[in-house]
mmCIF file of all heavy atoms in Angstrom:
data_model
loop_
_atom_site.group_PDB
_atom_site.id
_atom_site.type_symbol
_atom_site.label_atom_id
_atom_site.label_comp_id
_atom_site.label_asym_id
_atom_site.label_seq_id
_atom_site.Cartn_x
_atom_site.Cartn_y
_atom_site.Cartn_z
ATOM 1 N N ARG A 48 195.150 119.300 115.875
ATOM 2 C CA ARG A 48 194.332 119.897 116.927
ATOM 3 C C ARG A 48 194.583 119.186 118.258
ATOM 4 O O ARG A 48 194.526 117.953 118.334
ATOM 5 C CB ARG A 48 192.837 119.783 116.599
ATOM 6 C CG ARG A 48 192.413 120.379 115.257
ATOM 7 C CD ARG A 48 192.695 121.866 115.205
ATOM 8 N NE ARG A 48 193.953 122.151 114.547
ATOM 9 C CZ ARG A 48 194.505 123.371 114.501
ATOM 10 N NH1 ARG A 48 193.929 124.388 115.103
ATOM 11 N NH2 ARG A 48 195.649 123.564 113.858
ATOM 12 N N PRO A 49 194.841 119.931 119.339
ATOM 13 C CA PRO A 49 195.151 119.291 120.621
ATOM 14 C C PRO A 49 193.972 118.546 121.236
ATOM 15 O O PRO A 49 194.168 117.684 122.100
ATOM 16 C CB PRO A 49 195.579 120.476 121.497
ATOM 17 C CG PRO A 49 194.925 121.675 120.884
ATOM 18 C CD PRO A 49 194.922 121.406 119.406
ATOM 19 N N TRP A 50 192.763 118.843 120.810
ATOM 20 C CA TRP A 50 191.569 118.219 121.394
ATOM 21 C C TRP A 50 191.093 116.998 120.611
ATOM 22 O O TRP A 50 190.110 116.355 121.005
ATOM 23 C CB TRP A 50 190.423 119.234 121.457
ATOM 24 C CG TRP A 50 190.334 120.143 120.268
ATOM 25 C CD1 TRP A 50 190.866 121.391 120.150
ATOM 26 C CD2 TRP A 50 189.689 119.863 119.021
ATOM 27 N NE1 TRP A 50 190.594 121.903 118.909
ATOM 28 C CE2 TRP A 50 189.874 121.008 118.195
ATOM 29 C CE3 TRP A 50 188.969 118.785 118.516
ATOM 30 C CZ2 TRP A 50 189.366 121.074 116.893
ATOM 31 C CZ3 TRP A 50 188.462 118.847 117.217
ATOM 32 C CH2 TRP A 50 188.662 119.989 116.435
ATOM 33 N N GLN A 87 183.151 118.042 117.436
ATOM 34 C CA GLN A 87 182.337 119.075 116.805
ATOM 35 C C GLN A 87 183.256 120.019 116.028
ATOM 36 O O GLN A 87 184.116 120.678 116.607
ATOM 37 C CB GLN A 87 181.558 119.856 117.861
ATOM 38 C CG GLN A 87 180.628 120.894 117.276
ATOM 39 C CD GLN A 87 179.745 121.580 118.303
ATOM 40 O OE1 GLN A 87 178.707 122.112 117.954
ATOM 41 N NE2 GLN A 87 180.146 121.592 119.568
ATOM 42 N N PRO A 89 183.127 123.054 113.258
ATOM 43 C CA PRO A 89 182.456 123.996 112.358
ATOM 44 C C PRO A 89 183.350 124.349 111.173
ATOM 45 O O PRO A 89 184.527 124.667 111.350
ATOM 46 C CB PRO A 89 182.200 125.214 113.246
ATOM 47 C CG PRO A 89 183.279 125.165 114.277
ATOM 48 C CD PRO A 89 183.626 123.713 114.469
ATOM 49 N N HIS A 103 193.537 129.820 110.412
ATOM 50 C CA HIS A 103 192.348 128.991 110.584
ATOM 51 C C HIS A 103 191.967 128.244 109.308
ATOM 52 O O HIS A 103 190.910 127.612 109.264
ATOM 53 C CB HIS A 103 191.183 129.869 111.049
ATOM 54 C CG HIS A 103 191.510 130.686 112.251
ATOM 55 N ND1 HIS A 103 191.631 130.133 113.508
ATOM 56 C CD2 HIS A 103 191.783 132.020 112.395
ATOM 57 C CE1 HIS A 103 191.949 131.080 114.379
ATOM 58 N NE2 HIS A 103 192.051 132.225 113.729
ATOM 59 N N ASP A 120 188.265 126.676 109.649
ATOM 60 C CA ASP A 120 187.710 126.352 110.957
ATOM 61 C C ASP A 120 186.801 127.512 111.336
ATOM 62 O O ASP A 120 187.248 128.660 111.433
ATOM 63 C CB ASP A 120 188.841 126.200 111.973
ATOM 64 C CG ASP A 120 188.335 126.034 113.393
ATOM 65 O OD1 ASP A 120 187.166 125.642 113.584
ATOM 66 O OD2 ASP A 120 189.121 126.304 114.321
ATOM 67 N N GLY A 121 185.513 127.230 111.545
ATOM 68 C CA GLY A 121 184.562 128.302 111.804
ATOM 69 C C GLY A 121 184.928 129.187 112.977
ATOM 70 O O GLY A 121 184.550 130.368 113.002
ATOM 71 N N CYS A 122 185.657 128.652 113.944
ATOM 72 C CA CYS A 122 185.996 129.451 115.121
ATOM 73 C C CYS A 122 186.829 130.685 114.765
ATOM 74 O O CYS A 122 186.881 131.629 115.547
ATOM 75 C CB CYS A 122 186.742 128.597 116.146
ATOM 76 S SG CYS A 122 185.688 127.363 116.935
ATOM 77 N N GLY A 123 187.452 130.677 113.611
ATOM 78 C CA GLY A 123 188.231 131.831 113.180
ATOM 79 C C GLY A 123 187.531 132.681 112.141
ATOM 80 O O GLY A 123 188.153 133.568 111.550
ATOM 81 N N ASP A 124 186.234 132.445 111.930
ATOM 82 C CA ASP A 124 185.501 133.144 110.879
ATOM 83 C C ASP A 124 184.361 133.951 111.502
ATOM 84 O O ASP A 124 183.482 133.385 112.152
ATOM 85 C CB ASP A 124 184.935 132.130 109.874
ATOM 86 C CG ASP A 124 184.435 132.769 108.589
ATOM 87 O OD1 ASP A 124 183.820 133.849 108.663
ATOM 88 O OD2 ASP A 124 184.647 132.180 107.509
ATOM 89 N N TRP A 127 180.705 132.646 110.877
ATOM 90 C CA TRP A 127 180.278 131.568 111.780
ATOM 91 C C TRP A 127 179.875 132.139 113.123
ATOM 92 O O TRP A 127 178.811 131.795 113.664
ATOM 93 C CB TRP A 127 181.401 130.546 111.976
ATOM 94 C CG TRP A 127 181.105 129.558 113.087
ATOM 95 C CD1 TRP A 127 180.322 128.446 112.996
ATOM 96 C CD2 TRP A 127 181.565 129.612 114.436
ATOM 97 N NE1 TRP A 127 180.256 127.804 114.213
ATOM 98 C CE2 TRP A 127 181.018 128.504 115.118
ATOM 99 C CE3 TRP A 127 182.380 130.491 115.149
ATOM 100 C CZ2 TRP A 127 181.262 128.245 116.466
ATOM 101 C CZ3 TRP A 127 182.624 130.249 116.493
ATOM 102 C CH2 TRP A 127 182.078 129.131 117.142
ATOM 103 N N ALA A 128 180.705 133.005 113.708
ATOM 104 C CA ALA A 128 180.407 133.582 115.019
ATOM 105 C C ALA A 128 179.096 134.356 114.990
ATOM 106 O O ALA A 128 178.286 134.279 115.922
ATOM 107 C CB ALA A 128 181.552 134.486 115.471
ATOM 108 N N LEU A 131 176.033 131.802 114.544
ATOM 109 C CA LEU A 131 175.845 131.064 115.794
ATOM 110 C C LEU A 131 175.224 131.961 116.859
ATOM 111 O O LEU A 131 174.265 131.573 117.541
ATOM 112 C CB LEU A 131 177.177 130.506 116.285
ATOM 113 C CG LEU A 131 177.150 129.860 117.683
ATOM 114 C CD1 LEU A 131 176.336 128.570 117.662
ATOM 115 C CD2 LEU A 131 178.556 129.607 118.201
ATOM 116 N N THR A 132 175.764 133.169 116.999
ATOM 117 C CA THR A 132 175.249 134.106 117.995
ATOM 118 C C THR A 132 173.780 134.424 117.753
ATOM 119 O O THR A 132 172.964 134.452 118.683
ATOM 120 C CB THR A 132 176.084 135.404 117.985
ATOM 121 O OG1 THR A 132 177.431 135.093 118.377
ATOM 122 C CG2 THR A 132 175.505 136.448 118.919
ATOM 123 N N SER A 176 184.486 140.760 113.357
ATOM 124 C CA SER A 176 185.811 140.162 113.502
ATOM 125 C C SER A 176 185.797 139.260 114.726
ATOM 126 O O SER A 176 184.937 139.376 115.595
ATOM 127 C CB SER A 176 186.898 141.236 113.648
ATOM 128 O OG SER A 176 186.690 141.998 114.831
ATOM 129 N N VAL A 177 186.766 138.345 114.778
ATOM 130 C CA VAL A 177 186.911 137.458 115.931
ATOM 131 C C VAL A 177 188.367 137.404 116.339
ATOM 132 O O VAL A 177 189.267 137.639 115.539
ATOM 133 C CB VAL A 177 186.403 136.031 115.631
ATOM 134 C CG1 VAL A 177 184.911 136.026 115.382
ATOM 135 C CG2 VAL A 177 187.143 135.418 114.450
ATOM 136 N N GLY A 178 188.585 137.079 117.600
ATOM 137 C CA GLY A 178 189.938 136.898 118.104
ATOM 138 C C GLY A 178 190.124 137.544 119.461
ATOM 139 O O GLY A 178 189.452 138.522 119.754
ATOM 140 N N PRO A 179 190.960 136.929 120.260
ATOM 141 C CA PRO A 179 191.715 135.700 119.974
ATOM 142 C C PRO A 179 190.848 134.444 120.035
ATOM 143 O O PRO A 179 189.757 134.458 120.595
ATOM 144 C CB PRO A 179 192.786 135.690 121.062
ATOM 145 C CG PRO A 179 192.144 136.403 122.215
ATOM 146 C CD PRO A 179 191.292 137.478 121.605
ATOM 147 N N VAL A 180 191.384 133.379 119.442
ATOM 148 C CA VAL A 180 190.772 132.049 119.478
ATOM 149 C C VAL A 180 191.726 131.143 120.249
ATOM 150 O O VAL A 180 192.904 131.039 119.898
ATOM 151 C CB VAL A 180 190.550 131.492 118.058
ATOM 152 C CG1 VAL A 180 189.970 130.081 118.117
ATOM 153 C CG2 VAL A 180 189.647 132.421 117.256
ATOM 154 N N GLN A 181 191.223 130.504 121.321
ATOM 155 C CA GLN A 181 192.102 129.711 122.177
ATOM 156 C C GLN A 181 191.492 128.350 122.468
ATOM 157 O O GLN A 181 190.286 128.241 122.732
ATOM 158 C CB GLN A 181 192.365 130.437 123.493
ATOM 159 C CG GLN A 181 193.159 131.726 123.348
ATOM 160 C CD GLN A 181 193.468 132.370 124.680
ATOM 161 O OE1 GLN A 181 192.642 132.349 125.593
ATOM 162 N NE2 GLN A 181 194.652 132.937 124.808
ATOM 163 N N ASP A 182 192.336 127.322 122.436
ATOM 164 C CA ASP A 182 191.924 125.979 122.848
ATOM 165 C C ASP A 182 192.280 125.786 124.314
ATOM 166 O O ASP A 182 193.409 126.050 124.733
ATOM 167 C CB ASP A 182 192.639 124.913 122.012
ATOM 168 C CG ASP A 182 192.187 124.917 120.563
ATOM 169 O OD1 ASP A 182 190.975 125.094 120.330
ATOM 170 O OD2 ASP A 182 193.038 124.745 119.678
ATOM 171 N N ASP A 183 191.309 125.344 125.094
ATOM 172 C CA ASP A 183 191.513 125.036 126.510
ATOM 173 C C ASP A 183 190.978 123.635 126.746
ATOM 174 O O ASP A 183 189.778 123.458 126.964
ATOM 175 C CB ASP A 183 190.794 126.059 127.387
ATOM 176 C CG ASP A 183 191.027 125.818 128.877
ATOM 177 O OD1 ASP A 183 191.888 124.975 129.204
ATOM 178 O OD2 ASP A 183 190.343 126.449 129.693
ATOM 179 N N GLY A 184 191.850 122.661 126.643
ATOM 180 C CA GLY A 184 191.398 121.282 126.727
ATOM 181 C C GLY A 184 190.527 120.954 125.540
ATOM 182 O O GLY A 184 190.937 121.104 124.385
ATOM 183 N N THR A 185 189.307 120.537 125.798
ATOM 184 C CA THR A 185 188.394 120.167 124.730
ATOM 185 C C THR A 185 187.350 121.248 124.464
ATOM 186 O O THR A 185 186.308 120.982 123.851
ATOM 187 C CB THR A 185 187.692 118.834 125.056
ATOM 188 O OG1 THR A 185 187.034 118.941 126.323
ATOM 189 C CG2 THR A 185 188.698 117.697 125.103
ATOM 190 N N VAL A 186 187.623 122.474 124.902
ATOM 191 C CA VAL A 186 186.759 123.626 124.637
ATOM 192 C C VAL A 186 187.578 124.688 123.912
ATOM 193 O O VAL A 186 188.725 124.961 124.271
ATOM 194 C CB VAL A 186 186.186 124.217 125.941
ATOM 195 C CG1 VAL A 186 185.389 125.495 125.661
ATOM 196 C CG2 VAL A 186 185.302 123.189 126.644
ATOM 197 N N THR A 187 187.002 125.268 122.861
ATOM 198 C CA THR A 187 187.617 126.402 122.180
ATOM 199 C C THR A 187 186.833 127.658 122.527
ATOM 200 O O THR A 187 185.600 127.668 122.434
ATOM 201 C CB THR A 187 187.623 126.204 120.655
ATOM 202 O OG1 THR A 187 188.431 125.063 120.329
ATOM 203 C CG2 THR A 187 188.211 127.426 119.935
ATOM 204 N N THR A 188 187.538 128.710 122.954
ATOM 205 C CA THR A 188 186.891 129.985 123.257
ATOM 206 C C THR A 188 187.253 130.994 122.170
ATOM 207 O O THR A 188 188.384 131.048 121.694
ATOM 208 C CB THR A 188 187.309 130.527 124.633
ATOM 209 O OG1 THR A 188 188.725 130.684 124.675
ATOM 210 C CG2 THR A 188 186.868 129.586 125.738
ATOM 211 N N VAL A 189 186.250 131.778 121.801
ATOM 212 C CA VAL A 189 186.378 132.755 120.726
ATOM 213 C C VAL A 189 185.856 134.088 121.230
ATOM 214 O O VAL A 189 184.698 134.189 121.644
ATOM 215 C CB VAL A 189 185.565 132.325 119.488
ATOM 216 C CG1 VAL A 189 185.733 133.338 118.360
ATOM 217 C CG2 VAL A 189 185.961 130.921 119.031
ATOM 218 N N VAL A 190 186.697 135.097 121.195
ATOM 219 C CA VAL A 190 186.248 136.442 121.527
ATOM 220 C C VAL A 190 185.655 137.052 120.264
ATOM 221 O O VAL A 190 186.314 137.139 119.227
ATOM 222 C CB VAL A 190 187.401 137.306 122.058
ATOM 223 C CG1 VAL A 190 186.931 138.745 122.294
ATOM 224 C CG2 VAL A 190 187.959 136.714 123.345
ATOM 225 N N ALA A 191 184.386 137.461 120.370
ATOM 226 C CA ALA A 191 183.661 138.013 119.216
ATOM 227 C C ALA A 191 183.016 139.323 119.651
ATOM 228 O O ALA A 191 181.890 139.336 120.143
ATOM 229 C CB ALA A 191 182.615 137.033 118.721
ATOM 230 N N GLY A 192 183.762 140.410 119.494
ATOM 231 C CA GLY A 192 183.276 141.698 119.973
ATOM 232 C C GLY A 192 183.142 141.680 121.479
ATOM 233 O O GLY A 192 184.080 141.328 122.200
ATOM 234 N N ALA A 193 181.948 142.017 121.971
ATOM 235 C CA ALA A 193 181.714 142.036 123.419
ATOM 236 C C ALA A 193 181.345 140.662 123.963
ATOM 237 O O ALA A 193 181.144 140.513 125.175
ATOM 238 C CB ALA A 193 180.607 143.037 123.741
ATOM 239 N N LEU A 194 181.256 139.667 123.107
ATOM 240 C CA LEU A 194 180.857 138.320 123.504
ATOM 241 C C LEU A 194 182.051 137.378 123.532
ATOM 242 O O LEU A 194 183.035 137.581 122.827
ATOM 243 C CB LEU A 194 179.825 137.760 122.523
ATOM 244 C CG LEU A 194 178.564 138.567 122.251
ATOM 245 C CD1 LEU A 194 177.745 137.890 121.160
ATOM 246 C CD2 LEU A 194 177.743 138.720 123.514
ATOM 247 N N THR A 195 181.919 136.325 124.335
ATOM 248 C CA THR A 195 182.856 135.209 124.279
ATOM 249 C C THR A 195 182.067 133.943 124.000
ATOM 250 O O THR A 195 181.092 133.640 124.702
ATOM 251 C CB THR A 195 183.637 135.052 125.594
ATOM 252 O OG1 THR A 195 184.408 136.230 125.831
ATOM 253 C CG2 THR A 195 184.583 133.859 125.520
ATOM 254 N N ILE A 196 182.459 133.230 122.959
ATOM 255 C CA ILE A 196 181.816 131.977 122.577
ATOM 256 C C ILE A 196 182.662 130.825 123.099
ATOM 257 O O ILE A 196 183.882 130.802 122.916
ATOM 258 C CB ILE A 196 181.688 131.864 121.053
ATOM 259 C CG1 ILE A 196 180.877 133.035 120.489
ATOM 260 C CG2 ILE A 196 181.070 130.531 120.656
ATOM 261 C CD1 ILE A 196 180.911 133.124 118.967
ATOM 262 N N SER A 197 182.014 129.863 123.745
ATOM 263 C CA SER A 197 182.682 128.639 124.167
ATOM 264 C C SER A 197 182.080 127.489 123.381
ATOM 265 O O SER A 197 180.866 127.256 123.428
ATOM 266 C CB SER A 197 182.488 128.400 125.670
ATOM 267 O OG SER A 197 183.070 129.445 126.428
ATOM 268 N N LEU A 198 182.912 126.781 122.631
ATOM 269 C CA LEU A 198 182.458 125.681 121.792
ATOM 270 C C LEU A 198 183.014 124.367 122.325
ATOM 271 O O LEU A 198 184.225 124.222 122.508
ATOM 272 C CB LEU A 198 182.931 125.882 120.351
ATOM 273 C CG LEU A 198 182.515 124.779 119.372
ATOM 274 C CD1 LEU A 198 181.047 124.927 118.986
ATOM 275 C CD2 LEU A 198 183.400 124.792 118.123
ATOM 276 N N ALA A 199 182.125 123.403 122.583
ATOM 277 C CA ALA A 199 182.560 122.072 123.005
ATOM 278 C C ALA A 199 183.105 121.332 121.794
ATOM 279 O O ALA A 199 182.341 120.899 120.931
ATOM 280 C CB ALA A 199 181.399 121.311 123.629
ATOM 281 N N ARG A 200 184.410 121.202 121.711
ATOM 282 C CA ARG A 200 185.001 120.465 120.588
ATOM 283 C C ARG A 200 184.713 118.979 120.719
ATOM 284 O O ARG A 200 184.538 118.284 119.727
ATOM 285 C CB ARG A 200 186.505 120.705 120.547
ATOM 286 C CG ARG A 200 186.905 122.110 120.164
ATOM 287 C CD ARG A 200 186.589 122.409 118.717
ATOM 288 N NE ARG A 200 187.358 123.544 118.230
ATOM 289 C CZ ARG A 200 187.417 123.910 116.969
ATOM 290 N NH1 ARG A 200 186.749 123.233 116.050
ATOM 291 N NH2 ARG A 200 188.131 124.954 116.593
ATOM 292 N N VAL A 201 184.688 118.479 121.958
ATOM 293 C CA VAL A 201 184.265 117.111 122.233
ATOM 294 C C VAL A 201 182.851 117.181 122.785
ATOM 295 O O VAL A 201 182.617 117.800 123.826
ATOM 296 C CB VAL A 201 185.211 116.413 123.221
ATOM 297 C CG1 VAL A 201 184.642 115.055 123.642
ATOM 298 C CG2 VAL A 201 186.594 116.230 122.606
ATOM 299 N N THR A 204 181.392 117.707 126.588
ATOM 300 C CA THR A 204 182.202 118.535 127.473
ATOM 301 C C THR A 204 181.326 119.658 128.037
ATOM 302 O O THR A 204 180.647 120.347 127.279
ATOM 303 C CB THR A 204 183.387 119.158 126.718
ATOM 304 O OG1 THR A 204 184.194 118.116 126.170
ATOM 305 C CG2 THR A 204 184.233 120.012 127.649
ATOM 306 N N PRO A 205 181.308 119.860 129.355
ATOM 307 C CA PRO A 205 180.464 120.909 129.911
ATOM 308 C C PRO A 205 180.920 122.302 129.453
ATOM 309 O O PRO A 205 182.100 122.631 129.531
ATOM 310 C CB PRO A 205 180.646 120.760 131.427
ATOM 311 C CG PRO A 205 181.145 119.367 131.618
ATOM 312 C CD PRO A 205 181.977 119.070 130.405
ATOM 313 N N VAL A 206 179.979 123.086 128.936
ATOM 314 C CA VAL A 206 180.222 124.493 128.631
ATOM 315 C C VAL A 206 179.021 125.272 129.160
ATOM 316 O O VAL A 206 177.889 124.797 129.096
ATOM 317 C CB VAL A 206 180.418 124.766 127.125
ATOM 318 C CG1 VAL A 206 181.757 124.255 126.641
ATOM 319 C CG2 VAL A 206 179.298 124.156 126.291
ATOM 320 N N ALA A 207 179.277 126.456 129.688
ATOM 321 C CA ALA A 207 178.209 127.250 130.283
ATOM 322 C C ALA A 207 178.368 128.708 129.898
ATOM 323 O O ALA A 207 179.460 129.169 129.561
ATOM 324 C CB ALA A 207 178.223 127.093 131.805
ATOM 325 N N GLY A 208 177.272 129.437 129.956
ATOM 326 C CA GLY A 208 177.301 130.859 129.646
ATOM 327 C C GLY A 208 175.942 131.470 129.904
ATOM 328 O O GLY A 208 175.055 130.843 130.502
ATOM 329 N N LEU A 224 176.087 122.441 123.235
ATOM 330 C CA LEU A 224 177.167 122.384 122.243
ATOM 331 C C LEU A 224 178.014 123.646 122.251
ATOM 332 O O LEU A 224 179.200 123.611 121.914
ATOM 333 C CB LEU A 224 176.574 122.173 120.844
ATOM 334 C CG LEU A 224 175.763 120.892 120.649
ATOM 335 C CD1 LEU A 224 175.098 120.897 119.277
ATOM 336 C CD2 LEU A 224 176.644 119.675 120.811
ATOM 337 N N ALA A 225 177.390 124.785 122.574
ATOM 338 C CA ALA A 225 178.106 126.063 122.594
ATOM 339 C C ALA A 225 177.389 127.000 123.559
ATOM 340 O O ALA A 225 176.192 126.856 123.817
ATOM 341 C CB ALA A 225 178.160 126.684 121.205
ATOM 342 N N ALA A 226 178.151 127.960 124.092
ATOM 343 C CA ALA A 226 177.589 128.924 125.037
ATOM 344 C C ALA A 226 178.169 130.298 124.775
ATOM 345 O O ALA A 226 179.313 130.443 124.311
ATOM 346 C CB ALA A 226 177.891 128.503 126.476
ATOM 347 N N LEU A 227 177.361 131.328 125.063
ATOM 348 C CA LEU A 227 177.787 132.710 124.938
ATOM 349 C C LEU A 227 177.863 133.356 126.314
ATOM 350 O O LEU A 227 176.959 133.169 127.137
ATOM 351 C CB LEU A 227 176.789 133.527 124.099
ATOM 352 C CG LEU A 227 176.504 133.101 122.663
ATOM 353 C CD1 LEU A 227 175.531 134.098 122.036
ATOM 354 C CD2 LEU A 227 177.777 133.022 121.865
ATOM 355 N N SER A 228 178.927 134.089 126.541
ATOM 356 C CA SER A 228 179.054 134.897 127.756
ATOM 357 C C SER A 228 179.096 136.350 127.339
ATOM 358 O O SER A 228 179.820 136.728 126.413
ATOM 359 C CB SER A 228 180.327 134.522 128.526
ATOM 360 O OG SER A 228 180.286 133.173 128.934
#
Side-chain angles (χ1 to χ4, degrees):
R48 304 298 97 188
W50 39 265
Q87 183 174 202
H103 307 287
D120 173 21
C122 290
D124 193 320
W127 170 81
L131 173 68
T132 296
S176 63
V177 295
V180 177
Q181 294 183 322
D182 292 320
D183 183 10
T185 56
V186 175
T187 297
T188 58
V189 181
V190 175
L194 306 175
T195 298
I196 301 170
S197 298
L198 180 77
R200 291 291 199 171
V201 172
T204 301
V206 287
L224 300 173
L227 301 182
S228 298

